[in-house]
């Protein structure tokens, strides 16, 4: 960052690339990214955002088409398109760095990054990996994407300057890391209005995925059902996700419907109201 400031003392400009719809206020990931962008701006950095909305008008393909292009070596046409937009911007304007929220890599993405480096050898390429390591989190039928990613990783040393991680790794894929926590604008988080209630309320708010492990909480509640009943322990699950079907089957099987509650997506005051009755966040 210091070297960037020395180069351009007037204003630091960056491009933020992510394949999410940042206008979707109900998305937890979009909220995190929007807060992160605000932190950049609070630091005096001017950010150009390239998100899913930049792809409006582009054809959105289904799983089978995406599988076919993955077999050919391209993990994400959308991500590739966003990188190409960034390449075009850099040809006509000056930017100090690109902050790229990584999905799964492929050789075509790396080729665009290398071209960007040729356009401006001083530009910094920073890639955020939301979860590391991540290979075992991917389902077996995603093997073409995993193959592409593993092949592309071998090429990033020399064209990627830093990898941002939430882990404590000092180096990932032979690239030095920057360890961070989620960017949060504290002023945007409302203070909790404590509501009197009986018992203990646990809350989990997420786009639920297998690796979150909330099935363990449900399993634990079943195993210690007397403790749950005697202390009126309730689990409140707020959000969507494919794994919710599994959670609901577990709750029905274990007879926990009285103690486990599903809300679907909630935002704004509706979400605040649920938080106000919560004692422990998972």
């Amino acid at each position: 960052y210091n070297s960037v400031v020395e180069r351009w003392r007037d204003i630091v400009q960056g491009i933020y690339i992510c394949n999410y719809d940042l206008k979707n206020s109900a998305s937890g990931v979009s909220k995190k990214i929007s807060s992160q962008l605000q932190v950049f701006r609070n630091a005096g950095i001017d950010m150009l955002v390239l998100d899913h909305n930049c792809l409006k008008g582009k054809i959105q393909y289904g799983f089978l088409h995406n599988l076919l292009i993955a077999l050919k070596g391209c993990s994400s046409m959308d991500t590739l398109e966003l990188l190409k937009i960034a390449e075009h911007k850099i040809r006509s304007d000056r930017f100090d760095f690109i902050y790229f929220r990584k999905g799964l890599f492929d050789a075509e993405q790396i080729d665009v990054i290398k071209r960007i480096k040729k356009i401006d050898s001083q530009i910094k390429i920073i890639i955020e990996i939301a979860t590391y390591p991540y290979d075992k989190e991917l389902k077996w039928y995603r093997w073409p994407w995993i193959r592409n990613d593993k092949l592309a990783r071998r090429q990033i040393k020399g064209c990627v300057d830093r990898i941002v991680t939430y882990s404590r790794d000092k180096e990932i894929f032979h690239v030095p890391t920057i360890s961070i926590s989620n960017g949060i604008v504290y002023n945007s988080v409302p203070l909790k209005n404590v509501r009197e209630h009986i018992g203990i309320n646990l809350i989990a708010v997420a786009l639920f995925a297998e690796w979150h492990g909330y099935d363990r909480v449900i399993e634990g509640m079943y195993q210690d059902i007397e403790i749950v009943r005697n202390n009126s322990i309730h689990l409140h699950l707020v959000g969507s996700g494919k794994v919710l079907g599994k959670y609901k089957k577990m709750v029905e099987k274990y007879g926990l419907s009285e103690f486990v509650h599903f809300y679907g997506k909630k935002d704004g005051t509706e979400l605040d109201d649920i938080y106000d009755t919560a004692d422990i966040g998972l």
Side-chain angles (χ1 to χ4, degrees):
Y1 180 80
N2 289 337
S3 65
V4 171
V5 172
E6 287 173 8
R7 181 182 173 207
W8 305 106
R9 295 186 178 276
D10 49 354
I11 189 168
V12 178
Q13 294 190 109
I15 298 177
Y16 195 109
I17 300 175
C18 65
N19 194 10
Y20 287 92
D21 179 3
L22 298 188
K23 293 181 180 179
N24 181 6
S25 61
S27 165
V29 176
S30 295
K31 285 181 181 178
K32 286 181 187 179
I33 294 171
S34 295
S35 292
Q36 196 175 50
L37 284 164
Q38 189 58 50
V39 171
F40 275 117
R41 290 164 180 146
N42 290 348
I45 300 172
D46 187 17
M47 299 296 292
L48 170 66
V49 179
L50 301 179
D51 73 341
H52 195 73
N53 290 290
C54 297
L55 302 172
K56 290 293 172 71
K58 302 291 182 181
I59 298 174
Q60 301 298 309
Y61 296 102
F63 176 79
L64 182 58
H65 178 271
N66 290 331
L67 174 61
L68 291 173
I69 65 169
L71 288 169
K72 292 180 179 179
C74 180
S75 292
S76 172
M77 290 297 293
D78 290 350
T79 299
L80 184 62
E81 185 67 26
L82 290 171
L83 278 168
K84 287 180 178 179
I85 294 172
E87 179 187 7
H88 177 73
K89 296 285 185 183
I90 288 163
R91 289 186 186 278
S92 58
D93 201 354
R94 173 191 59 79
F95 292 92
D96 303 291
F97 69 96
I98 293 175
Y99 192 101
F100 175 31
R101 200 174 198 276
K102 175 186 175 297
L104 289 173
F105 271 141
D106 60 49
E108 293 190 56
Q109 294 175 33
I110 298 299
D111 285 344
V112 178
I113 291 172
K114 288 179 177 178
R115 291 203 300 267
I116 289 171
K117 277 287 194 179
K118 286 183 179 179
I119 297 168
D120 183 354
S121 62
Q122 296 300 307
I123 196 169
K124 305 300 180 186
I125 307 294
I126 304 166
I127 292 180
E128 177 186 319
I129 297 179
T131 305
Y132 179 81
Y134 53 84
D135 288 347
K136 292 182 180 180
E137 292 183 356
L138 301 171
K139 300 294 185 182
W140 64 269
Y141 53 80
R142 301 275 287 175
W143 71 264
W145 288 270
I146 300 170
R147 177 205 61 186
N148 296 343
D149 190 84
K150 287 183 176 179
L151 290 172
R153 291 176 205 167
R154 303 174 187 174
Q155 304 179 55
I156 68 172
K157 184 179 179 181
C159 64
V160 173
D161 295 282
R162 290 291 185 274
I163 288 179
V164 172
T165 178
Y166 296 87
S167 70
R168 297 183 179 180
D169 296 275
K170 301 297 182 185
E171 190 176 90
I172 294 176
F173 308 144
H174 306 293
V175 176
T177 63
I178 301 171
S179 294
I180 67 168
S181 59
N182 281 330
I184 298 172
V185 180
Y186 290 102
N187 291 339
S188 68
V189 181
L191 293 176
K192 179 180 176 181
N193 294 312
V194 179
R195 294 187 179 182
E196 293 297 327
H197 57 271
I198 297 171
I200 301 171
N201 287 329
L202 316 178
I203 186 171
V205 182
L207 176 61
F208 293 103
E210 190 74 37
W211 54 82
H212 285 156
Y214 293 119
D215 53 320
R216 298 181 185 181
V217 183
I218 297 170
E219 188 73 39
M221 292 175 74
Y222 170 67
Q223 291 179 8
D224 292 312
I225 188 62
E226 290 306 313
I227 293 176
V228 169
R229 284 202 181 100
N230 293 339
N231 295 278
S232 189
I233 298 174
H234 291 257
L235 173 62
H236 302 267
L237 298 173
V238 186
S240 60
K242 293 181 180 178
V243 78
L244 279 177
K246 173 184 175 181
Y247 294 169
K248 290 176 180 178
K249 287 180 181 178
M250 291 178 69
V251 169
E252 184 178 354
K253 175 183 175 182
Y254 293 153
L256 291 172
S257 298
E258 179 185 350
F259 302 103
V260 181
H261 312 278
F262 299 92
Y263 293 83
K265 288 183 180 180
K266 295 294 178 183
D267 192 24
T269 56
E270 283 189 308
L271 180 57
D272 293 339
D273 288 342
I274 302 170
Y275 271 125
D276 288 345
T277 62
D279 301 295
I280 299 172
L282 303 181

